[in-house]
Amino acid sequence: MTIFYPTGDWEWYKSGKKDRGIWNGKFKPMSSKEWFDYVAGIVREEIKGFDKILDAGCGEGLVMMTLNNMIIDNEIDGFDVWEKRVNIAEKLNPENIIFIASIDKLPMENNYYDCSYTVHVLEQCNDIKEKAIEELLRVTKKKLIFIEPIYEHGNMFQRWHMRRHKYLMGFIILLKKLEKEGRIKIIKMGKLHTYSNPLNPPYLIVVEKLR
């Protein structure tokens, strides 16, 4: 899931440890499995009807693994910039194609995937957000799904946290610009009511590619 940090998700998942979280708007200790089950459930609904899917910045492949356990019909490929994370993802998802790549320079041809999704990936790509979005649009034919924190919608403490970690800013402005240019249509945008870190609440943003 994370593209710039080489460790973390799988260790948390295996430990079974519960950490701070928000569940349906209320504070609740949450395990990694609970979080990934929730996220994968959202992604599963959004990718229905599409054949070839890209998990962009798949990290250790936990969203992919959870989707596979749901017995889906979609074909999902994934990539991450960290070799260590890709190695773990390959072990957890031996039937999937997973490769090393950077989100701002993808190796596949135009419109290779029907649908792409990110989960807390673009938040770490503030310096390359324009190129990252351009690449995702280039390789995706129909639909993009983003589960990402939105700086502009955060409160004072959340914005401080996002600035401190140099997280994504200006994402909505960028999407609105692309929509105005007639390249995309924003078909869904809303804050999730369940998330693993109260300082980093994600939004679900679904985009249809027009050209």
Side-chain angles (χ1 to χ4, degrees):
M1 186 169 69
T2 307
I3 69 163
F4 287 145
Y5 304 150
T7 61
D9 292 335
W10 178 229
E11 292 302 318
W12 181 31
Y13 193 98
K14 286 193 300 181
S15 73
K17 176 185 175 182
K18 294 195 174 186
D19 207 343
R20 59 184 179 176
I22 300 290
W23 193 272
N24 289 330
K26 297 180 181 180
F27 281 98
K28 173 187 178 294
M30 187 187 306
S31 69
S32 176
K33 184 180 186 304
E34 288 175 310
W35 164 243
F36 282 106
D37 284 348
Y38 173 73
V39 169
I42 293 172
V43 173
R44 182 188 186 186
E45 290 301 310
E46 295 296 339
I47 63 176
K48 283 183 177 179
F50 297 106
D51 295 324
K52 197 167 182 62
I53 313 296
L54 177 64
D55 184 332
C58 69
E60 293 159 12
L62 296 178
V63 175
M64 187 185 300
M65 179 185 75
T66 307
L67 286 168
N68 289 335
N69 290 339
M70 292 177 174
I71 313 178
I72 59 172
D73 295 326
N74 319 79
E75 177 187 343
I76 304 180
D77 296 348
F79 73 85
D80 199 86
V81 74
W82 285 102
E83 182 178 2
K84 181 175 181 179
R85 282 182 168 265
V86 169
N87 290 341
I88 294 172
E90 287 177 328
K91 291 177 182 178
L92 295 177
N93 304 280
E95 302 301 320
N96 297 77
I97 295 174
I98 304 170
F99 54 94
I100 298 172
S102 178
I103 198 169
D104 61 338
K105 190 176 182 181
L106 299 176
M108 67 284 296
E109 62 191 32
N110 295 351
N111 299 316
Y112 188 77
Y113 294 99
D114 296 317
C115 181
S116 299
Y117 68 85
T118 70
V119 180
H120 284 269
V121 172
L122 293 176
E123 69 173 355
Q124 301 158 45
C125 299
N126 190 55
D127 291 343
I128 58 170
K129 58 179 178 286
E130 290 88 358
K131 183 60 176 174
I133 294 299
E134 286 294 338
E135 279 293 270
L136 290 177
L137 283 171
R138 181 183 67 78
V139 304
T140 305
K141 186 176 182 180
K142 298 177 181 178
K143 185 178 182 182
L144 295 94
I145 304 154
F146 305 109
I147 297 178
E148 302 285 348
I150 304 300
Y151 173 84
E152 291 77 8
H153 292 171
N155 61 34
M156 178 178 67
F157 299 104
Q158 291 162 349
R159 290 189 183 197
W160 171 83
H161 174 76
M162 294 180 199
R163 286 196 304 271
R164 179 170 176 262
H165 289 281
K166 299 181 180 179
Y167 282 165
L168 181 66
M169 291 184 281
F171 183 43
I172 302 302
I173 294 172
L174 178 56
L175 291 182
K176 292 286 187 182
K177 178 177 178 291
L178 292 170
E179 188 172 47
K180 187 175 180 179
E181 292 171 354
R183 298 180 60 192
I184 67 168
K185 180 180 180 182
I186 301 171
I187 58 177
K188 189 177 295 186
M189 183 186 302
K191 183 179 178 180
L192 300 185
H193 297 290
T194 297
Y195 40 93
S196 60
N197 186 347
L199 289 175
N200 215 23
Y203 281 68
L204 171 64
I205 303 170
V206 182
V207 167
E208 178 186 356
K209 180 180 174 181
L210 301 179
R211 61 177 177 84

